[in-house]
Each structure stands twice: as C-alpha cells, then as structure tokens.
C-alpha cells in the first residue's frame, strides 16, 4: 500500500527517491540508496531485502543480477514489490501476484515509479510524466512526481507518512528527510525540504572541512 519514485539526474550524477504510504514511518521501511543505485522493497515490505540489493549492486554493478538477488532472497515473493534504478541503464522491477491492484511499475527515461493498492491506473504514469517534465533540483523533481501521483489517485487509504532521500558526492546525503506521521505527509515533506535546502551546503561543508564551516547557530539563523 505504497507508491514510490526513484529518479536520476544525468547532469549532476545524483540519484534518489521519494515514497509515501498510508501507514506510519515509511522512511524506515521502504527504499535504500548507495552510490549509483536505488533499490525498493515494498508491498508487504521486508527491509532486509534492501541490504541484499545494495550488496549485490556493489559486487556486480549489474541491475539484473541485483534484482535477481533480491527475488531469490525474498520469502513469499508473491507478496513483494521490488525495484532498482541505477545511474545508467534500464530500470527493473518485480510485482508479486498477491500485491493489491492497482499495482505495478512504470519506467521513464530517468525514473521508476512503483505502487500497489493505488486509487487508479493513472498514478504511476503521472508520477513519471511529472518527474520527467519537471525542472530544478532532483529533490524537487521527485516531489513533483509524488504530488502528481497523489492527484491522479494516490492510495485507496489516506496517506500517513513520506520520505525523500538523495545521495550526493563523497558518500554524503544531500537530502534525507521524512515525515513519520501526518494527515498530509507530502505537503509536510515539502515544508521540511524548503527548510533544509538552503542549509544543506553548510552541513555538507561541516563534514568535509569543519574548520571552514559555519556554526550551527549561523546555519539555523539563531543568535550566536
């Protein structure tokens, strides 16, 4: 009972994903990201499959082998919905036969949408369309896709949680934000993003070159 969107930016080499669902704390359970790769385990989620996928990707750098490793490790595969988007190549996905309709995956030039128990068959195509047509940072393109999916039918039950994660260079997350419980989680996720976006570079600098970084009070706009 989830819809998710992985996307890549060929100009910057960044990759990331967004996800929303009708249960709480989806950011703790759906999606993982490593250099050059996003993997999804959703529907009746087994978060352990993310580690299987990331390990397979780091070992093989092959999307098909990564998805195969996840499927082979899945208990009751018919309940699982799995996906992989890499920085290069075709997105791949699997939807088990017990996943609730509307369900499946939809591929874009630089994106992959997955969902189950959706309000209409238009949700996934609209997510991909909005992402591919959007401009701006990857984080905002992913959010545009999620809002389009919500408008096209969302889930059959009210959303309660959402998350957004984008990996930048040097192994640091450019965005890693989540709303664990809300009556409007995608809207609240946008609020968090707008607060985080102007601060992200400063917190990245604190990791890379702490001597040159501003204090947290400066970053947060608090009195020194």
């Amino acid at each position: 009972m989830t819809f998710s969107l992985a996307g890549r930016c060929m100009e910057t080499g960044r990759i990331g994903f967004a996800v929303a669902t009708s249960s709480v704390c989806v950011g703790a359970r759906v999606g993982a990201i490593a250099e050059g790769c996003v993997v999804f385990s959703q529907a009746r989620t087994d978060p352990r499959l993310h580690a299987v996928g990331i390990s397979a990707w780091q070992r093989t750098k092959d999307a098909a082998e990564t998805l195969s490793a996840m499927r082979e490790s899945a208990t009751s595969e018919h309940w699982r919905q799995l996906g992989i988007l890499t920085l290069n190549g075709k997105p791949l996905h699997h939807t088990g036969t017990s996943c609730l309709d509307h369900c499946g995956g939809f591929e874009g030039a630089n994106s992959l949408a997955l969902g189950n128990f959706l309000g209409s068959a238009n949700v996934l195509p609209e997510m991909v369309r909005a992402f591919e047509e959007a401009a701006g940072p990857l984080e905002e393109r992913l959010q545009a896709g999620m809002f389009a999916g919500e408008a096209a039918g969302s889930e059959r039950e009210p959303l309660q949680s959402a998350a957004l994660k984008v990996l930048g260079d040097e192994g640091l997350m450019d965005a890693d934000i989540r709303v664990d419980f809300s009556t409007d989680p995608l809207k609240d996720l946008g609020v968090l993003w707008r607060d985080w976006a102007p601060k992200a570079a400063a917190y990245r600098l604190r990791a890379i070159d702490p001597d040159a970084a501003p204090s947290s009070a400066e970053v947060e706009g608090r009195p020194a």
Side-chain angles (χ1 to χ4, degrees):
M1 298 182 287
T2 301
F3 58 102
S4 58
L5 178 64
R8 60 195 178 198
C9 178
M10 303 310 293
E11 293 182 6
T12 63
R14 298 195 306 150
I15 194 166
F17 71 90
V19 59
T21 194
S22 57
S23 55
V24 299
C25 302
V26 69
R29 294 180 285 110
V30 173
I33 186 169
E35 184 177 355
C37 179
V38 168
V39 295
F40 287 128
S41 165
Q42 57 191 57
R44 293 205 173 177
T45 308
D46 184 351
R48 297 172 299 178
L49 296 176
H50 297 134
V52 172
I54 293 298
S55 176
W57 168 252
Q58 292 173 333
R59 184 176 67 254
T60 68
K61 294 299 188 286
D62 183 277
E65 290 192 34
T66 298
L67 183 61
S68 178
M70 294 175 74
R71 292 185 66 176
E72 289 173 4
S73 296
T75 303
S76 302
E77 184 187 2
H78 60 100
W79 281 115
R80 313 300 185 184
Q81 189 169 46
L82 309 171
I84 175 168
L85 176 74
T86 63
L87 194 56
N88 298 288
K90 180 180 173 62
L92 299 175
H93 55 90
H94 159 79
T95 296
T97 56
S98 294
C99 294
L100 300 174
D101 212 18
H102 297 283
C103 63
F106 196 88
E107 304 161 20
N110 292 298
S111 58
L112 171 66
L114 290 181
N116 58 91
F117 200 57
L118 302 175
S120 83
N122 295 326
V123 172
L124 302 180
E126 280 297 292
M127 291 168 68
V128 167
R129 178 200 60 76
F131 173 85
E132 300 289 348
E133 292 180 358
L138 181 59
E139 292 90 344
E140 294 179 7
R141 296 171 64 197
L142 288 166
Q143 289 179 81
M146 295 299 291
F147 278 117
E150 184 180 37
S154 192
E155 275 192 48
R156 296 188 191 178
E157 295 181 352
L159 299 180
Q160 291 198 85
S161 64
L164 171 68
K165 300 187 180 186
V166 171
L167 181 65
D169 58 14
E170 302 194 59
L172 292 171
M173 300 296 290
D174 287 340
D176 188 354
I177 57 178
R178 46 191 268 193
V179 174
D180 284 341
F181 178 68
S182 170
T183 57
D184 197 345
L186 288 176
K187 179 181 177 181
D188 289 346
L189 193 72
V191 172
L192 281 176
W193 162 248
R194 289 188 292 276
D195 182 75
W196 167 253
K199 303 172 183 176
Y203 282 114
R204 169 176 282 276
L205 185 60
R206 287 166 71 88
I208 296 170
D209 187 1
D211 289 327
S215 68
S216 59
E218 290 178 81
V219 177
E220 298 294 340
R222 296 191 296 262

